[in-house]
């Protein structure tokens, strides 16, 4: 026992001795040493990762019979939910279209710039059977197809920019398009004017999947997108990370930010000067992890952006009130983006929902961490 205790406190000493200062997205600072501290001596001796597990009081773990860990959140979910393909829904994010409906139930949300400085959201849902209203649903942008494909998700949208048409028509992309399915799988409400009043629900999604005979399970060789902490009772902290209790991505129009609540260790989302809520529940959106991915881009010439989804770049990973610099890499068009700390280790996310901010590389200096 003394031997194991000595090893444990030696590990703590070295973790505490390594401190990094993090600059803007993409700026290289001192490499963090973020150690993984677990409850066994063997694992303590083998510490090699750049993340630290914060031990929690012992708990009696519930039975996981009939459950699997979600590929989106790392949570234990019913097999029916965790093994079926998710649905990625394009969500309107202009001020006339908020609050969105159903977004709180998305395990992962992507936010990326579109034309005019606006952002559009894409919620990735695996548990949507109780949702009869998701939206409002808006049109496709090319790069969102690739983001959805990373999760093997059925891409759901209402129309598209012209440069996305050929990819949407390919056999590699399974999608539900409101232009084809309006009044069938999608429906309109009267409380908002078009195009901000198009929605879809669980029944419409099931009907569309059946209509096109899309498979409902993950493809056999699907690569898990994220890796989560092995023990859901333990929290990953970023030793040496920069303080990140308020996170501002720097988008120009909706001016969003996240505020960290140390009591439940969640980041609460704000935009347009107020809390961002789900229309169905009235609850403010909250996330365990935030990933900022800095990307190359160019203008098509007609106001539309092209966002680079392959190659490599820089970014930030934020959880539990701290942030570290990361890099990202994606080798194949329909591959999966991997995120790494500055020591080259793939990052491990805390169990829970994740918000991904896609940041244009000329706006990296707009990111503010406080």
């Amino acid at each position: 026992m003394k031997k194991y205790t000595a090893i444990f406190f030696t590990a703590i000493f070295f973790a505490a001795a390594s401190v990094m200062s993090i600059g803007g997205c993409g700026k290289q600072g001192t490499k963090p040493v973020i150690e993984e501290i677990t409850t066994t001596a063997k694992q303590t001796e083998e510490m090699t990762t750049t993340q630290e597990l914060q031990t929690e009081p012992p708990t009696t773990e519930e039975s996981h019979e009939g459950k699997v860990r979600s590929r989106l959140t790392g949570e234990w979910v019913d097999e029916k939910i965790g093994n079926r393909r998710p649905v990625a829904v394009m969500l309107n994010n202009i001020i006339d279209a908020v609050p969105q409906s159903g977004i709180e139930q998305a395990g992962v949300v992507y936010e990326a710039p579109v034309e005019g400085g606006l952002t559009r959201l894409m919620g990735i849902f695996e548990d949507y059977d109780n949702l009869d209203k998701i939206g409002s649903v808006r049109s496709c942008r090319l790069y969102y197809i690739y983001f959805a494909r990373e999760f093997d998700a059925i891409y759901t949208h209402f129309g598209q920019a012209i440069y996305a048409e050929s990819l949407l028509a390919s056999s590699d992309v399974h999608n539900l398009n409101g232009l084809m399915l309006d009044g069938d799988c999608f429906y309109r409400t009267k409380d908002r004017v078009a195009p901000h009043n198009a929605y879809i629900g669980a029944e419409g999604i099931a009907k569309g999947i059946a209509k096109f005979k899309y498979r409902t399970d993950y493809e056999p060789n699907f690569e898990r997108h994220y890796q989560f902490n092995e023990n859901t009772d333990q929290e990953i902290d970023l030793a040496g990370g920069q303080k990140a209790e308020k996170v501002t991505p720097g988008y120009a129009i909706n001016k969003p930010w996240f505020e960290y609540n140390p009591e439940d260790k969640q980041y609460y989302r704000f935009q347009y000067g107020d809390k961002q809520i789900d229309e169905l529940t009235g609850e403010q959106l909250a996330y365990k992890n935030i990933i900022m991915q800095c990307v190359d881009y160019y203008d098509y010439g007609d106001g539309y952006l092209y966002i680079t989804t392959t190659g490599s770049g820089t970014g930030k990973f934020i959880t539990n009130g701290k942030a570290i610099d990361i890099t990202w890499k994606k080798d194949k068009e329909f591959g999966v983006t991997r995120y790494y700390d500055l020591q080259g280790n793939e990052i491990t996310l805390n169990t829970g929902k994740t918000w991904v901010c896609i940041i244009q590389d000329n706006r990296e200096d707009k990111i503010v961490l406080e």
Side-chain angles (χ1 to χ4, degrees):
M1 175 61 82
K2 291 183 179 180
K3 175 186 175 184
Y4 294 162
T5 302
I7 292 172
F8 179 84
F9 284 103
T10 300
I12 291 291
F13 174 81
F14 283 109
S18 302
V19 180
M20 66 171 286
S21 63
I22 300 179
C25 182
K27 305 301 185 293
Q28 302 293 319
T30 306
K31 292 183 178 179
V33 177
I34 306 170
E35 310 240 355
E36 182 171 318
I37 301 173
T38 61
T39 55
T40 70
K42 185 174 186 285
Q43 289 171 316
T44 303
E45 291 176 306
E46 294 175 350
M47 289 184 298
T48 57
T49 71
T50 62
Q51 294 174 322
E52 177 181 88
L53 280 175
Q54 183 183 56
T55 58
E56 300 287 346
T59 61
T60 302
E61 194 164 354
E62 62 179 278
S63 171
H64 299 309
E65 184 178 355
K67 295 184 177 181
V68 296
R69 290 197 72 178
S70 165
R71 292 169 170 87
L72 302 186
T73 66
E75 297 167 330
W76 289 100
V77 297
D78 187 271
E79 288 178 339
K80 174 187 173 184
I81 300 299
N83 287 330
R84 73 175 175 187
R85 296 178 72 186
V87 174
V89 183
M90 290 298 297
L91 299 169
N92 204 343
N93 198 40
I94 71 170
I95 195 166
D96 293 335
V98 298
Q100 294 90 357
S101 295
I103 186 174
E104 186 181 14
Q105 213 149 307
V108 178
V109 176
Y110 272 74
E111 180 172 24
V114 291
E115 55 281 356
L118 295 167
T119 66
R120 190 157 290 178
L121 309 179
M122 182 179 72
I124 305 178
F125 299 81
E126 62 181 358
D127 185 4
Y128 54 84
D129 290 334
N130 66 329
L131 294 177
D132 58 7
K133 188 180 184 183
I134 305 173
S136 63
V137 184
R138 286 294 276 135
S139 59
C140 163
R141 297 295 179 267
L142 181 62
Y143 36 96
Y144 273 109
I145 303 174
Y146 293 114
F147 293 142
R149 190 66 169 73
E150 293 191 32
F151 294 85
D152 194 26
I154 297 169
Y155 183 58
T156 305
H157 58 105
F158 204 109
Q160 65 280 325
I162 189 170
Y163 58 84
E165 289 179 350
S166 60
L167 184 57
L168 287 170
S170 74
S171 60
D172 290 318
V173 176
H174 292 173
N175 68 106
L176 304 177
N177 188 346
L179 288 183
M180 301 169 57
L181 302 170
D182 193 10
D184 187 8
C185 300
F186 294 76
Y187 64 92
R188 300 276 186 171
T189 63
K190 296 181 179 179
D191 59 334
R192 297 177 184 176
V193 298
H196 313 308
N197 63 348
Y199 294 87
I200 195 168
E203 184 178 345
I205 291 170
K207 191 173 182 180
I209 290 173
K211 180 181 180 69
F212 295 107
K213 296 182 173 57
Y214 292 148
R215 57 181 166 79
T216 55
D217 293 331
Y218 282 99
E219 58 187 356
N221 59 343
F222 174 73
E223 297 180 71
R224 181 181 292 273
H225 198 297
Y226 300 135
Q227 65 174 10
F228 293 95
N229 48 328
E230 284 190 28
N231 188 338
T232 56
D233 289 334
Q234 293 180 312
E235 291 279 318
I236 292 170
D237 280 348
L238 303 176
Q242 181 180 352
K243 179 182 176 182
E245 295 178 357
K246 182 178 179 181
V247 178
T248 306
Y251 298 124
I253 303 299
N254 58 327
K255 294 181 170 58
W257 74 94
F258 301 84
E259 291 184 7
Y260 180 63
N261 182 342
E263 293 186 4
D264 62 6
K265 298 185 178 181
Q266 299 283 327
Y267 282 91
Y268 285 80
R269 166 88 176 186
F270 298 78
Q271 66 172 1
Y272 295 115
D274 203 353
K275 296 177 181 178
Q276 184 173 358
I277 65 170
D278 187 312
E279 183 182 34
L280 298 182
T281 66
E283 296 294 328
Q284 186 176 6
L285 306 185
Y287 299 85
K288 188 63 180 177
N289 309 289
I290 302 171
I291 294 174
M292 294 193 178
Q293 182 176 342
C294 302
V295 299
D296 293 330
Y297 75 100
Y298 61 81
D299 195 319
Y300 271 108
D302 54 4
Y304 289 112
L305 291 175
Y306 178 77
I307 297 292
T308 302
T309 61
T310 56
S312 61
T314 57
K316 288 186 181 294
F317 171 46
I318 302 160
T319 192
N320 282 0
K322 295 179 182 178
I324 60 170
D325 285 339
I326 60 173
T327 62
W328 64 268
K329 185 177 181 181
K330 182 180 175 182
D331 296 325
K332 300 180 295 184
E333 183 180 48
F334 287 143
V336 170
T337 302
R338 300 296 182 192
Y339 302 96
Y340 304 92
D341 62 35
L342 296 188
Q343 292 180 312
N345 303 301
E346 186 172 356
I347 65 171
T348 302
L349 275 60
N350 272 310
T351 300
K353 296 188 294 185
T354 298
W355 190 288
V356 182
C357 292
I358 302 298
I359 308 292
Q360 293 166 258
D361 58 8
N362 68 332
R363 297 183 182 272
E364 297 172 15
D365 60 349
K366 305 296 184 184
I367 299 171
V368 178
L369 303 179
E370 302 175 61

